[in-house]
Amino acid sequence: MVKHVIEEVIKRNPGEVEFHQAVQEVVESVAPVLQKHPEYKELKILERIVEPERQLMFRVPWVDDKGNVQINRGFRIEFNSAIGPYKGGLRFHPSVYIGIIKFLGFEQIFKNALTTLPMGGGKGGSDFDPKGKSDGEVMRFCQSFMSELFRHIGPDTDVPAGDIGVGGREIGFMFGMYKKLRNEFTGVLTGKGLDWGGSLVRTEATGYGLIYFLLEMLKDMGKDIKGATVVSSGSGNVSIYAMQKCQELGAKVVACSDSNGYIYDKDGINLKTVKQLKEVERKRIKEYVKIHPKAVYEEGCDNIWKIKCDIALPNATQNEIDERSAKKLVENGVWAVAEGANMPSTPEAVKVFLKNKVAFGPAKAANAGGVATSGLEMTQNSQRLSWSFEETDKYLNRIMKDIYKQAKGAAEEYGAAGNLVVGANIAGFTKVAKAMYAHGIV
Ligand code: NDP
């Protein structure tokens, strides 16, 4: 009944393998919803939801420090606005092409629906690599990027945020350019600095939210995070704050990584050092062992999943856990996997976890805390108020519990109890489908 949708997506979007993968998972999960709701089938909700409302691709020329002209490609996919303005991050990484942005934008539709906040789905970015660039180069790139993007976004239209390679510095440069071009100070981007419209907890939100979600999973299993051994891949925004929350709650985090390799510190990672290296000095993770000689560094990031742990947190990038790594984790006794990154487990890896009864928190539910707090930043911007850390954190915690409840409930309702992948897809899809149905054929 849904096979034709997947076939059509592959035909219409050739070569966009990550997008095909994301569509396949959602489409297969929601087939029972269409059976129960023939009206969605009749109005071709599924066929429409896999087609972005708008796709933008543009030239981003800039001048490097040596005076050479550089050209990158910019993207913004405005995927679905049925339940609110397009919302989703910008990724700056050399691997970015339309297929990556489309997969991320597609996932974002359902993730945003799960947050309970009124946000549609979108995503953008560029194949620009901020690594090794000076602040001046990053600024000139961001300004050029925004000199095109500004005409397509706005606080009630499309509100971008950060993602891989886009943190506070990049958001600042883009916000400055938007403000200059529009002559308007509005909440057009989230992840802003605290003195100019940002929200407390936004920096911590994806990592903290991931652990709040994980706690709900563990509660249902009768397990405690205290004393658990954790491996968290990546050492960027999501990984750092997930590790921080784990440590606060008494878990021992023994390994993290970057795109070159991983560090293993059997006594527990010193997070202060990781933050100094990655957030302040923008260095490689291997520098950690110079400061903590008892720790070991190994090249190649896949091997991080060979480390024995109770809880695995893939917090770096898509498809970082394949079937082999999943099997290794299971062999080593992992109890829970919660995805901080987007689509970090391949479909084969997900099957291994589910088959072996490992509690599995899929990205679109487990990492929704970042965009949820971005939604709270938008609310504060509209109110022209700033909430306290405690208040915002409490809200985030409540949202993550609610997301867990929705995913668990939908899985039970559709005969897939315990399968949060299916549950999250169905709960997110149902909300958007209802809105699309109400809006007619648009
Ligand atoms: P950052 O850029 O802050 O950090 C990314 C980390 O992952 C870095 O340590 C990076 O290493 C590593 N990494 C990137 N690419 C690869 C790769 N191909 N192989 C191995 N490691 C890699 O990004 P974030 O922490 O913000 O994002 C991480 C993931 O979380 C992404 O999938 C993102 O989409 C997702 N996410 C982020 C949210 C947010 O609020 N920031 C919200 C929801 C999801 P290196 O430094 O070497 O590049």
Side-chain angles (χ1 to χ4, degrees):
M1 185 178 58
V2 292
K3 211 165 136 238
H4 73 281
V5 180
I6 299 167
E7 282 167 3
E8 193 63 15
V9 164
I10 293 173
K11 202 166 100 198
R12 283 164 75 94
N13 304 275
E16 298 175 9
V17 288
E18 297 83 0
F19 180 48
H20 304 164
Q21 185 182 333
V23 167
Q24 180 141 5
E25 185 202 282
V26 172
V27 167
E28 283 171 357
S29 298
V30 304
V33 183
L34 297 187
Q35 230 153 16
K36 197 164 167 185
H37 293 276
E39 70 277 18
Y40 295 162
K41 223 166 98 186
E42 199 182 318
L43 289 195
K44 298 217 161 133
I45 300 284
L46 197 55
E47 289 83 344
R48 282 193 283 144
I49 220 169
V50 296
E51 186 69 20
E53 289 176 13
R54 193 171 297 109
Q55 309 188 41
L56 307 159
M57 189 158 93
F58 49 95
R59 181 171 69 200
V60 190
W62 57 282
V63 180
D64 69 18
D65 286 347
K66 293 193 182 114
N68 298 320
V69 176
Q70 302 284 347
I71 297 129
N72 285 99
R73 188 170 269 186
F75 302 93
R76 186 74 185 162
I77 307 280
E78 297 182 332
F79 224 118
N80 192 295
S81 60
I83 61 165
Y86 309 105
K87 182 90 197 84
L90 297 170
R91 175 176 293 191
F92 293 169
H93 193 271
S95 63
V96 163
Y97 78 109
I98 190 107
I100 294 265
I101 301 298
K102 244 191 244 174
F103 117 66
L104 290 164
F106 183 69
E107 292 275 296
Q108 200 81 43
I109 305 171
F110 310 102
K111 180 189 307 193
N112 292 4
L114 286 169
T115 65
T116 70
L117 303 173
M119 297 182 290
K123 198 84 188 188
S126 172
D127 56 2
F128 173 75
D129 186 0
K131 239 178 270 160
K133 304 286 190 304
S134 69
D135 285 351
E137 289 176 322
V138 171
M139 181 183 75
R140 291 192 292 281
F141 171 80
C142 287
Q143 291 178 337
S144 178
F145 184 83
M146 189 50 87
S147 73
E148 173 58 35
L149 189 66
F150 86 100
R151 62 187 102 246
H152 308 290
I153 61 176
D156 295 316
T157 312
D158 183 355
V159 185
D163 190 76
I164 291 181
V166 178
R169 174 182 63 170
E170 291 75 16
I171 294 289
F173 292 147
M174 288 190 275
F175 184 79
M177 195 60 180
Y178 180 89
K179 186 165 69 59
K180 182 182 169 80
L181 293 169
R182 280 265 189 239
N183 194 24
E184 255 177 28
F185 194 111
T186 53
V188 68
L189 290 162
T190 56
K192 299 187 289 297
L194 294 177
D195 297 326
W196 40 278
S199 171
L200 284 161
V201 192
R202 178 60 190 91
T203 306
E204 296 83 356
T206 309
Y208 277 24
L210 176 71
I211 306 308
Y212 296 151
F213 189 90
L214 172 71
L215 291 179
E216 295 305 296
M217 290 164 50
L218 296 185
K219 212 192 287 170
D220 272 350
M221 297 166 72
K223 293 261 191 198
D224 197 345
I225 193 169
K226 199 167 170 201
T229 301
V230 178
V231 167
S232 170
S233 61
S235 48
N237 174 264
V238 178
S239 188
I240 285 179
Y241 292 95
M243 292 194 277
Q244 181 163 308
K245 191 47 91 182
C246 285
Q247 291 186 345
E248 252 178 63
L249 295 170
K252 185 158 93 171
V253 185
V254 293
C256 70
S257 59
D258 62 19
S259 54
N260 294 106
Y262 72 88
I263 51 162
Y264 172 64
D265 193 336
K266 70 173 177 13
D267 299 329
I269 298 275
N270 183 317
L271 204 52
K272 222 168 129 195
T273 307
V274 174
K275 281 188 176 185
Q276 178 66 23
L277 289 173
K278 302 304 283 188
E279 292 186 329
V280 183
E281 298 172 20
R282 296 181 190 274
K283 285 192 176 152
R284 310 308 299 157
I285 201 66
K286 69 173 171 211
E287 303 287 322
Y288 181 95
V289 293
K290 288 190 188 153
I291 303 160
H292 302 282
K294 275 200 205 146
V296 290
Y297 172 75
E298 200 184 310
E299 285 285 327
C301 17
D302 290 6
N303 288 335
I304 195 170
W305 305 119
K306 290 192 182 144
I307 299 170
K308 186 173 165 50
C309 63
D310 303 314
I311 297 168
L313 304 174
N315 288 333
T317 195
Q318 62 276 354
N319 292 328
E320 56 170 307
I321 301 188
D322 60 8
E323 187 176 12
R324 203 171 47 110
S325 299
K327 283 186 174 158
K328 192 78 207 162
L329 281 164
V330 170
E331 208 179 291
N332 281 336
V334 73
W335 338 308
V337 177
E339 298 185 320
N342 283 309
M343 208 168 74
S345 314
T346 63
E348 296 75 28
V350 177
K351 276 191 200 130
V352 171
F353 295 135
L354 296 178
K355 198 174 135 211
N356 288 282
K357 305 273 179 254
V358 174
F360 181 74
K364 55 173 88 58
N367 76 18
V371 73
T373 310
S374 276
L376 301 179
E377 183 172 330
M378 289 164 74
T379 307
Q380 293 168 73
N381 290 162
S382 302
Q383 292 179 321
R384 300 198 188 283
L385 282 175
S386 300
W387 305 345
S388 69
F389 191 97
E390 290 69 28
E391 198 177 353
T392 318
D393 191 36
K394 218 191 259 168
Y395 218 131
L396 168 65
N397 198 325
R398 205 160 71 209
I399 290 174
M400 297 315 296
K401 284 184 170 153
D402 200 302
I403 295 174
Y404 181 76
K405 213 164 113 193
Q406 289 179 62
K408 186 180 161 188
E412 282 167 4
E413 186 186 339
Y414 282 89
N419 186 336
L420 297 175
V421 178
V422 166
N425 285 334
I426 290 181
F429 173 78
T430 307
K431 182 170 176 186
V432 180
K434 263 191 209 160
M436 287 177 73
Y437 183 77
H439 296 166
I441 316 281
V442 289

